[in-house]
Amino acid sequence: MSDVAVSRFVTATDGLKLHVRDFAARDRKALPVICLPGLARTTDDFETLAAALAAGGRRVIALDYRGRGRSDYDPDPAKYSLPVELGDVITVLTALALEPAVFVGTSRGGLLTMLMAAVRPASVAGAVLNDIGPMLEAEGLVRIKGYVGKLPTPSSYDEAARVLARLFGAQFPNLSHHDWLLSARRTYKDKDGGLVVNYDVALGKALDDFDPQKPLPDLWPQFEALKDVPVMVIRGALSDLLSATTVLEMERRHPALETLVVPDQGHAPLLTESGTISRIAAFIGRCDAERTKISG
């Protein structure tokens, strides 16, 4: 990631080391931003967004969940669960004195954001939910279950880029080979002279209980815990996980909801385009203003 950030390690309650990227603040009055990645993703996904927000003086923290990126892998795959990961996020918030903050959560990170609002509402001053909502589409979960922990082992980053383009090209039809190379370097890492995925393959077990034939639980109560703070939802126009119907219901339940649909991207939007970053930055500024109004 960018040279403007430093790596820190926070010890979880069970002793595992959690890696965060910390973009230091120049504006101490601005709300910090917590970036939470998707299920098998890492801090690298937020490099462009975090650097842009930090350039404006804001402190930004991006977290590798346990079993991802530079955080310790858990010897017990059962701990790759939302309750344990929520506890890890709370540990990081406390250790780095980051409350309250604006949360930017991609996919699983958005689920964690809604759960945080329900159990620790004072911590959340605003939320950006990137291609995630209280209802998930079975089609998208089936697709995700089909590749997490099961990606091929390529012999080079060029081959990795072609693998990712083949698997995910329908979700991101406009990405170039260069774009897929960048994605490959975020997905794989060098180890013992070869490439391996940048997460514990046992993470796939987190989806073992998912059965597309059974009704999916919803998180509407957790979403409604965000009713008193600004919320922005970003949806990829090609998303198979967050439906347009769910977004409409989110707008009905949270009338001040800000919505952004990213064309020609699926699950989950990359948050790298200047227009998207500008919208997120403006939304976070709105969170600052709302917080000032409340505290003032």
Side-chain angles (χ1 to χ4, degrees):
M1 290 185 73
S2 169
D3 290 339
V4 302
V6 296
S7 285
R8 301 190 189 281
F9 291 88
V10 175
T11 303
T13 56
D14 60 1
L16 265 65
K17 297 293 186 185
L18 304 171
H19 172 246
V20 301
R21 291 289 286 176
D22 187 349
F23 293 73
R26 295 194 307 275
D27 184 354
R28 298 294 176 181
K29 295 182 180 180
L31 287 163
V33 175
I34 314 299
C35 296
L36 301 177
L39 174 64
R41 307 303 302 173
T42 73
T43 60
D44 288 348
D45 285 355
F46 294 106
E47 177 177 4
T48 303
L49 174 64
L53 295 176
R58 190 179 301 275
R59 189 180 188 188
V60 185
I61 297 289
L63 171 65
D64 282 334
Y65 310 129
R66 60 178 61 209
R68 288 79 147 184
R70 295 180 62 189
S71 289
D72 286 346
Y73 289 11
D74 200 310
D76 180 5
K79 289 186 178 178
Y80 295 141
S81 67
L82 287 169
V84 173
E85 289 162 13
L86 179 61
D88 289 344
V89 175
I90 291 171
T91 295
V92 169
L93 292 179
T94 303
L96 301 182
L98 295 169
E99 300 166 283
V102 179
F103 287 74
V104 179
T106 293
S107 194
R108 191 175 186 87
L111 298 179
L112 288 166
T113 298
M114 288 185 280
L115 292 172
M116 180 70 71
V119 304
R120 203 172 170 108
S123 297
V124 183
V128 178
L129 304 177
N130 184 23
D131 213 60
I132 197 69
M135 295 288 293
L136 306 180
E137 300 302 308
E139 176 189 355
L141 287 173
V142 168
R143 182 179 60 81
I144 292 168
K145 184 176 181 177
Y147 73 78
V148 173
K150 303 167 187 174
L151 286 176
T153 302
S155 60
S156 67
Y157 281 109
D158 187 74
E159 182 184 343
R162 298 182 192 283
V163 166
L164 295 178
R166 184 175 70 250
L167 291 173
F168 307 117
Q171 294 277 308
F172 297 92
N174 290 347
L175 295 191
S176 66
H177 183 65
H178 176 70
D179 293 326
W180 288 114
L181 273 173
L182 294 176
S183 179
R185 292 188 177 277
R186 293 191 296 267
T187 303
Y188 290 91
K189 63 182 178 182
D190 296 288
K191 184 177 181 181
D192 300 328
L195 296 183
V196 297
V197 289
N198 201 15
Y199 60 86
D200 185 352
V201 294
L203 187 60
K205 296 181 183 298
L207 296 171
D208 280 353
D209 292 337
F210 167 64
D211 182 349
Q213 303 305 316
K214 295 180 180 178
L216 290 168
D218 67 66
L219 290 179
W220 286 114
Q222 290 77 14
F223 173 73
E224 288 174 356
L226 292 165
K227 67 182 186 315
D228 294 328
V229 300
V231 179
M232 178 182 189
V233 62
I234 300 173
R235 179 178 182 268
L238 304 179
S239 176
D240 58 3
L241 193 72
L242 176 63
S243 71
T245 300
T246 295
V247 172
L248 287 174
E249 180 62 14
M250 293 167 75
E251 291 175 334
R252 188 186 74 80
R253 298 194 188 208
H254 196 306
L257 186 78
E258 185 172 336
T259 303
L260 172 63
V261 178
V262 180
D264 300 319
Q265 293 190 20
H267 184 77
L270 303 177
L271 311 185
T272 54
E273 301 80 14
S274 60
T276 299
I277 291 172
S278 294
R279 283 285 300 273
I280 294 171
F283 169 81
I284 295 171
R286 175 184 151 203
C287 295
D288 280 329
E290 290 289 328
R291 195 72 188 179
T292 300
K293 188 187 306 181
I294 293 169
S295 61

